[in-house]
Amino acid sequence: MLSTQNLSCGYDPRYPVISGVDLSVAPGELVALAGPSGAGKSTLVKTLAGLIRPLSGSLHRPSHHQAVSYIPQGLGLVRHSSVLRNVLLGTLPRRMSRTGMGNLLGSFTADQTHAARSALAAVGLSGSADKRPDELSGGQRRRVAVARALAAEPAVLIADEALCELDHRTRDTVVTALTDLRSRCGTAVILVEHDLELVCRVADTVCCVGAGTIEATLHPSPERYQLAHKIVANHV
């Protein structure tokens, strides 16, 4: 699905932000990246998403149009457009895969609209479809960005702190939506997250990022939750 070998990421070959990254993410797997601010997590996921060229090493990801959805920290919403229209933008790769660029700016199909409305329902925002992002709270805008990614039904969903600003109940709603996407579409999820309790509870694999590399990798389980939490906390 997505893999790296001895990957080095950054903006200047002389000063890599993070290096020696070996990852292998399987379909349906949720991989969490945990670590202190400035450890290189955002640079790594931008590289995995194809926004930054690797400095060295190898990166293999799905290559079709629907391959990767990326939720940046800044969310990337279109402020003057409606919430529904923002989520519909997530379905554009479907159109590109079928029609090419020619019809990219045409009207959205009934299937695309259904996918967008279903994604909004999954994150609890059905009643906000006609609002603009600037009429929403920070947490609601974050859910719009998640819904946009859900509507794409990507092979890989990469989210940079997508669950921050959410209360526990709303966060659980979004996690449930991601779990459904993983089960239904086999989507692999790579999540940057600072909440160690959440990370150890929902992730299949936790990568502890620090000192310019992945320092440790573990696979939490319900039976070993407390141990996994302690190990992750010691590394971050």
Side-chain angles (χ1 to χ4, degrees), residues 30-35 41 159 161 163 171-172 175 182 190-209 216 218-222 224-225 228-233 236:
L30 194 157
V31 175
L33 303 177
K41 303 182 301 297
E161 300 187 26
L163 302 181
R171 186 187 63 185
D172 288 344
V175 169
R182 294 163 60 201
I190 301 173
L191 189 68
V192 174
E193 179 56 48
H194 287 285
D195 187 329
L196 302 186
E197 180 180 357
L198 176 69
V199 160
C200 293
R201 179 163 57 87
V202 305
D204 300 303
T205 302
V206 179
C207 298
C208 303
V209 182
L218 66 152
H219 305 281
S221 65
R224 302 181 62 200
Y225 166 78
H229 187 282
K230 182 176 181 180
I231 292 172
V232 173
V236 303

Side-chain angles (χ1 to χ4, degrees), residues 13 21 45 66 72-73 89 109 133-134 136 146 151 167 179 201 216 219 235:
V21 176
V45 294
Q66 254 172 282
Q73 285 189 23
L89 293 176
T109 67
D134 58 9
L136 305 179
V146 172
D167 60 72
T179 300
R201 179 163 57 87
H219 305 281
H235 277 278

Side-chain angles (χ1 to χ4, degrees), residues 20 32 81 84 96 101 121 123 131 133 142 146-147 163-164 178 180 188 196 203-204 212 227 230 234-235:
S81 194
L84 178 61
M96 291 171 62
M101 294 294 289
V123 298
K131 294 182 179 180
R142 199 158 293 277
V146 172
L163 302 181
C164 69
L178 292 175
D180 175 69
L196 302 186
D204 300 303
L227 176 61
K230 182 176 181 180
N234 286 339
H235 277 278

Side-chain angles (χ1 to χ4, degrees), residues 44-164:
L44 174 57
V45 294
K46 286 177 182 178
T47 305
L48 298 179
L51 301 179
I52 300 175
R53 187 184 299 274
L55 297 178
S56 62
S58 62
L59 167 61
H60 300 284
R61 8 175 271 155
S63 58
H64 53 85
H65 287 302
Q66 254 172 282
V68 178
S69 286
Y70 171 62
I71 306 174
Q73 285 189 23
L75 304 182
L77 300 179
V78 182
R79 295 186 177 182
H80 63 269
S81 194
S82 70
V83 163
L84 178 61
R85 190 80 178 181
N86 269 277
V87 178
L88 279 165
L89 293 176
T91 70
L92 287 179
R94 301 184 186 191
R95 174 171 294 174
M96 291 171 62
S97 64
R98 295 194 189 106
T99 65
M101 294 294 289
N103 293 327
L104 182 59
L105 298 180
S107 60
F108 291 96
T109 67
D111 285 346
Q112 288 173 304
T113 301
H114 175 73
R117 290 192 179 276
S118 295
L120 282 172
V123 298
L125 286 178
S126 294
S128 300
D130 296 327
K131 294 182 179 180
R132 297 190 314 273
D134 58 9
E135 297 178 283
L136 305 179
S137 68
Q140 287 174 319
R141 288 195 294 271
R142 199 158 293 277
R143 282 189 278 163
V144 173
V146 172
R148 181 184 59 201
L150 294 175
E153 297 185 346
V156 181
L157 192 159
I158 300 173
D160 194 351
E161 300 187 26
L163 302 181
C164 69

